[in-house]
Amino acid sequence: MSILNDLVRDVASLLFPPRCAVCGEPLTRGERTVCTLCRATAPLTGYWREADNPVVRRCWGMVPVCQASGFLFFVRASGWRRLIHGFKYRGAWRTAREMGAWYGRYLRESGLYDDVEVVVPLPLHPFKRCRRGYNQSEYIAEGIAAQLGVEVDRRSVRRVRNTASQALKPRRERAGNVEDAFAVCRPERLAGRHVLLVDDVMTTGSTLLSCASAILRDAPGCRISIAALAVSQRELGVKE
């Protein structure tokens, strides 16, 4: 049966070869989602290895996070931007889960996230989720949680205000745009636990920090860490 399955996959690959989500070149046997060359040249931040990094410093004075990191730098006009937009706007949710698993392996190896007990994806408002069909942050969270060996909680935190896109807002207006946008509807599931809050892209951090603040406010004894798949060098003040 496995020989037949391999034959079917080989024929399908010849007719519809899977392509790298970054460069668009055909993937070879054993490659998944992103080709070997693009993985080797990925704009990784390395922040998951550092207890003190620019993402943590962005949170200082706003939210008392245990750890915070980003996986990739969000590089405009690049294949990595296309990869992110693929799962954010074009239905490529499998890419989001695979990227989450890649990120999760590094988080696990760093040792800084060993005591995380539950992964919470940044929620979408029900209207936006219905229009998109899924929440890409949930798939990133699935990939990370599988590597850390913990559960994903998709229901305890809700987005209660359907805010305008942060990408369309000037930097100075973003914090106000997401103020009181989140609520914890099942605080007993998060109380006293170390929660890893996950999102796809962090620019100013206003959305993630608003959600983190709501969790800390409503779930007694909760601790928060943050993991963003991509972060903006410009907003973090990191030299490009």
Side-chain angles (χ1 to χ4, degrees):
M1 193 64 163
S2 61
I3 296 176
L4 179 59
N5 289 339
D6 288 344
L7 180 60
V8 170
R9 280 196 295 269
D10 288 343
V11 171
S13 295
L14 287 173
L15 297 175
F16 308 102
R19 294 183 176 274
C20 174
V22 178
C23 68
E25 291 297 313
L27 296 175
T28 61
R29 182 182 287 274
E31 293 181 333
R32 290 170 59 91
T33 308
V34 178
C35 71
T36 302
L37 178 59
C38 287
R39 285 179 183 266
T41 57
L44 303 181
T45 67
Y47 292 161
W48 59 85
R49 296 188 296 262
E50 305 169 10
D52 177 11
N53 65 67
V55 181
V56 171
R57 291 194 288 272
R58 171 51 57 90
C59 301
W60 285 353
M62 301 182 200
V63 175
V65 298
C66 298
Q67 306 291 341
S69 67
F71 185 50
L72 301 164
F73 288 119
F74 186 76
V75 181
R76 297 183 183 278
S78 74
W80 293 100
R81 181 176 185 269
R82 289 192 296 274
L83 176 146
I84 292 168
H85 282 193
F87 62 69
K88 197 174 178 73
Y89 303 117
R90 296 194 291 274
W93 56 267
R94 291 181 180 83
T95 299
R97 187 159 57 194
E98 179 65 23
M99 293 299 295
W102 185 8
Y103 189 10
R105 285 191 289 274
Y106 283 113
L107 292 175
R108 184 188 69 224
E109 291 167 4
S110 77
L112 295 176
Y113 298 80
D114 286 352
D115 61 345
V116 165
E117 297 169 88
V118 59
V119 178
V120 172
L122 192 85
L124 284 178
H125 188 272
F127 177 78
K128 188 172 290 185
R129 183 190 176 99
C130 183
R131 187 174 60 185
R132 184 172 295 173
Y134 63 93
N135 178 0
Q136 69 278 1
S137 293
E138 290 185 5
Y139 291 107
I140 297 170
E142 283 183 9
I144 290 175
Q147 295 298 318
L148 296 180
V150 299
E151 65 175 315
V152 178
D153 187 331
R154 304 172 182 80
R155 298 183 177 182
S156 292
V157 184
R158 298 177 59 190
R159 192 159 189 155
V160 294
R161 285 204 302 115
N162 187 23
T163 57
S165 171
Q166 290 286 77
L168 303 177
K169 292 285 184 180
R171 188 180 190 279
R172 63 183 180 278
E173 297 179 11
R174 293 188 179 188
N177 184 48
V178 292
E179 186 176 358
D180 298 324
F182 301 94
V184 180
C185 55
R186 298 182 180 182
E188 71 281 357
R189 291 180 57 88
L190 303 180
R193 305 179 78 185
H194 186 179
V195 175
L196 181 62
L197 183 61
V198 170
D199 197 14
D200 55 358
V201 179
M202 175 179 171
T203 49
T204 64
S206 298
T207 306
L208 271 167
L209 294 176
S210 176
C211 187
S213 296
I215 295 172
L216 290 170
R217 179 192 66 214
D218 296 341
C222 177
R223 294 172 294 142
I224 287 282
S225 289
I226 286 174
L229 187 68
V231 294
S232 167
Q233 286 177 270
R234 181 179 61 183
E235 294 292 347
L236 291 175
V238 178
K239 185 176 180 180
E240 299 186 31

